[in-house]
């Protein structure tokens, strides 16, 4: 009989190449390395090489989390990515092969960005509760650096590439609680790569539209409006109060947004995770990277409750509470 | 909030000094985030970034927020 589900293991992988604030400052002299760190909270970010893809990162993160695991016990893989190798097939099918999962294991991609980890957790929980799977490999992998114009100062300071892999499985007590999910498709164009799909082909005329376009102020408006409400809702549906939460781990968008949200929601600084200095905003991987770092640094103990919130491209958001 | 409190808050958020109603403003993209945060925090209002692009002075900002929102 199913008792519950838990995140039993998390690992992450960062590509070898590092882009520093000093390098960016040489290209954009009006922004000093100190100013970039002060505003964005990032010192360095990892960037894939020209021939390296999100799938390559996904394979490496998966192999890390599967060390000392019996691979044949994995019966589903979910890959969250907006940087697929191909329009089709899904990258998850190729990942399934490369890491040697059994033929009976399901595989699919989820095309979401900064909210993807929360959505994928809800899907993994659903698959386990529906008895479709007992052990799910949840992978996030993004190479937004490939979506960025080399002259895009703002976004190149913010984003880094990374992948993560988590194992979600049956547990005696339920440790992944209820979810709040949300979508605002009317603002789809506030964070978008306009060209490259079937609607707008890659174009030499609208060169800028071949790259990621982010309306920073409108994304900020969306975030400061939706995240506090979502935190309130997730506490309510799980019958908890803000004091019941031991740690708040939000999508690591940038320092400015996170500082503002922490103050607005009145979260004590010692309970709030803010650490993107050596990774940048790695989109769907920020939350699992945060979980991994908190565990490695012994900042979480058994039984702690952690409130997770993802928000971004879509526009899309989601939250849940997990128990360590 | 009194207008004087807005001048003080703007000085803090935008790292400027000696602001008054006649002061001009040249908002950078990061300044726009700061002004959105300031208005959200003090007036519980969401201002669109496109509206802030037309703000060239402190008095423009006061008009955008609404003069009725300020204490005498």
């Amino acid at each position: 009989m199913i008792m519950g589900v838990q995140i039993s293991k998390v690992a992450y992988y960062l590509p070898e190449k590092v882009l520093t604030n000093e390098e960016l400052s040489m290209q954009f002299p009006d922004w000093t390395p100190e100013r970039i760190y002060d505003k964005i909270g990032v010192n360095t970010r990892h960037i894939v090489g020209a021939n390296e893809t999100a799938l390559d990162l996904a394979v490496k993160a998966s192999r890390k989390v599967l060390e000392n695991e019996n691979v044949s016990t994995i019966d589903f893989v979910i890959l969250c990515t907006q940087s697929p190798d191909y329009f089709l097939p899904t990258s998850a099918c190729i990942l399934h092969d490369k890491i040697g999962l059994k033929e009976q294991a399901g595989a699919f991609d989820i095309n979401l960005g900064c909210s993807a980890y929360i959505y994928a957790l809800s899907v993994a929980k659903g698959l386990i509760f529906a008895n479709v799977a007992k052990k799910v490999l949840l992978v996030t992998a993004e190479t937004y650096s490939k979506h960025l114009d080399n002259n895009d100062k703002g976004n190149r300071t913010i984003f880094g590439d990374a992948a993560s892999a988590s194992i979600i499985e049956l547990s005696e007590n339920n440790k992944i609680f209820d979810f709040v999910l949300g979508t605002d498709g009317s603002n789809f164009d506030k964070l978008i790569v306009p060209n490259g799909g079937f609607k707008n082909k890659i174009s030499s005329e609208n060169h800028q539209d071949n790259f990621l376009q982010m309306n920073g102020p409108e994304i900020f408006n969306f975030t400061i409006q939706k995240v506090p409400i979502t935190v309130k809702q997730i506490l309510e549906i799980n019958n908890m109060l803000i004091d019941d939460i031991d740690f708040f781990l939000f999508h690591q968008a940038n320092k400015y947004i996170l500082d503002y949200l922490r103050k607005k929601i009145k979260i004590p600084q010692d309970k709030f995770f803010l650490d993107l200095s050596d990774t940048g905003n790695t989109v769907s991987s920020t939350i699992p990277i945060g979980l991994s770092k908190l565990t490695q640094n012994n900042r979480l103990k058994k039984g702690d409750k952690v409130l997770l919130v993802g928000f971004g491209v879509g526009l899309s958001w989601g939250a849940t509470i997990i128990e360590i | 909030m009194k207008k004087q409190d807005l001048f003080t808050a703007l000085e803090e958020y935008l790292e400027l000094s000696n602001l008054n109603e006649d002061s001009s403003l040249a908002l950078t993209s990061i300044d726009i985030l700061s002004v959105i945060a300031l208005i959200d925090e003090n007036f519980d209002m969401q201002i669109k970034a496109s509206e802030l692009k037309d703000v060239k002075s402190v008095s423009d900002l006061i008009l955008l927020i609404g003069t009725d929102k300020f204490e005498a």
Side-chain angles (χ1 to χ4, degrees), chain B:
Chain B
M1 177 181 248
K2 292 179 180 170
K3 285 182 183 174
Q4 184 57 49
D5 298 328
L6 175 71
F7 306 152
T8 307
L10 279 172
E11 286 170 2
E12 184 193 334
Y13 275 70
L14 305 181
E15 296 170 10
L16 297 171
S17 54
N18 302 318
L19 288 182
N20 59 50
E21 201 159 345
D22 299 324
S23 302
S24 59
L25 290 174
L27 299 175
T28 65
S29 55
I30 288 181
D31 290 341
I32 287 175
L33 295 190
S34 299
V35 173
I36 289 172
L38 187 159
I39 295 171
D40 176 68
E41 198 171 344
N42 292 284
F43 299 93
D44 198 19
M45 285 172 65
Q46 259 82 48
I47 297 280
K48 288 190 170 179
S50 53
E51 294 173 300
L52 283 170
K53 281 182 182 159
D54 297 328
V55 168
K56 306 292 179 205
S57 65
V58 174
S59 58
D60 287 345
L61 186 61
I62 290 169
L63 284 174
L64 183 62
I65 294 167
T67 49
D68 57 321
K69 301 281 195 318
F70 292 90
E71 295 169 35

Side-chain angles (χ1 to χ4, degrees), chain A residues 183-239:
Chain A
T183 309
D184 172 14
S186 69
N187 280 307
F188 74 97
D189 58 346
K190 301 300 183 289
L191 180 42
I192 186 171
V193 180
N195 292 350
F198 289 114
K199 189 166 182 70
N200 305 308
K201 301 265 168 66
I202 294 287
S203 162
S204 54
E205 287 174 17
N206 301 316
H207 175 254
Q208 284 304 110
D209 286 351
N210 298 334
F211 298 102
L212 184 136
Q213 307 292 324
M214 178 162 69
N215 184 329
E218 292 305 344
I219 293 294
F220 182 67
N221 255 335
F222 149 73
T223 303
I224 64 175
Q225 204 180 341
K226 293 294 179 201
V227 174
I229 294 168
T230 303
V231 169
K232 190 169 175 279
Q233 289 170 338
I234 197 66
L235 289 168
E236 278 173 5
I237 66 162
N238 286 294
N239 297 312

Side-chain angles (χ1 to χ4, degrees), chain A residues 131-151:
Chain A
N131 206 25
V132 174
K134 289 186 173 59
K135 200 184 248 191
V136 178
L137 177 64
L138 191 175
V139 184
T140 61
E142 239 14 293
T143 56
Y144 264 34
S145 66
K146 288 180 187 279
H147 288 310
L148 302 181
D149 185 342
N150 195 44
N151 294 314

Side-chain angles (χ1 to χ4, degrees), chain A residues 7-182:
Chain A
I7 303 172
S8 58
K9 219 168 162 188
V10 186
Y12 66 93
Y13 176 80
L14 303 172
E16 284 178 20
K17 188 176 168 190
V18 173
L19 178 63
T20 66
N21 284 358
E22 286 71 19
E23 289 170 273
L24 287 167
S25 192
M26 280 173 70
Q27 188 181 345
F28 307 109
D30 54 326
W31 279 20
T32 63
E34 294 75 23
R35 181 175 159 81
I36 296 171
Y37 180 73
D38 188 46
K39 294 292 179 189
I40 311 293
V42 183
N43 274 322
T44 58
R45 66 290 287 150
H46 292 248
I47 303 295
V48 285
N51 298 317
E52 197 173 17
T53 70
L55 179 59
D56 297 325
L57 305 186
V59 169
K60 285 172 176 164
S62 300
R63 285 183 179 148
K64 258 177 112 168
V65 87
L66 291 172
E67 270 177 17
N68 305 319
E69 286 284 329
N70 180 353
V71 178
S72 69
T73 61
I74 301 290
D75 38 31
F76 216 104
V77 58
I78 300 170
L79 173 57
C80 305
T81 188
Q82 299 187 306
S83 309
D85 276 21
Y86 308 103
F87 272 129
L88 56 99
T90 64
S91 294
C93 290
I94 308 171
L95 176 65
H96 174 287
D97 173 60
K98 285 183 182 288
I99 59 176
L101 298 188
K102 64 189 176 192
E103 199 175 82
Q104 294 82 1
F108 59 63
D109 285 3
I110 291 181
N111 180 346
L112 279 172
C114 305
S115 64
Y117 190 72
I118 306 297
Y119 272 76
L121 274 182
S122 74
V123 173
K125 182 178 177 179
L127 288 168
I128 293 171
F129 271 35
N131 206 25
V132 174
K134 289 186 173 59
K135 200 184 248 191
V136 178
L137 177 64
L138 191 175
V139 184
T140 61
E142 239 14 293
T143 56
Y144 264 34
S145 66
K146 288 180 187 279
H147 288 310
L148 302 181
D149 185 342
N150 195 44
N151 294 314
D152 184 347
K153 175 176 62 178
N155 286 323
R156 286 189 65 212
T157 59
I158 293 173
F159 290 106
D161 300 332
S164 80
S166 308
I167 293 177
I168 320 299
E169 63 182 322
L170 280 168
S171 64
E172 274 188 25
N173 301 310
N174 188 40
K175 294 181 178 180
I176 301 176
F177 302 136
D178 288 345
F179 288 80
V180 169
L181 304 175

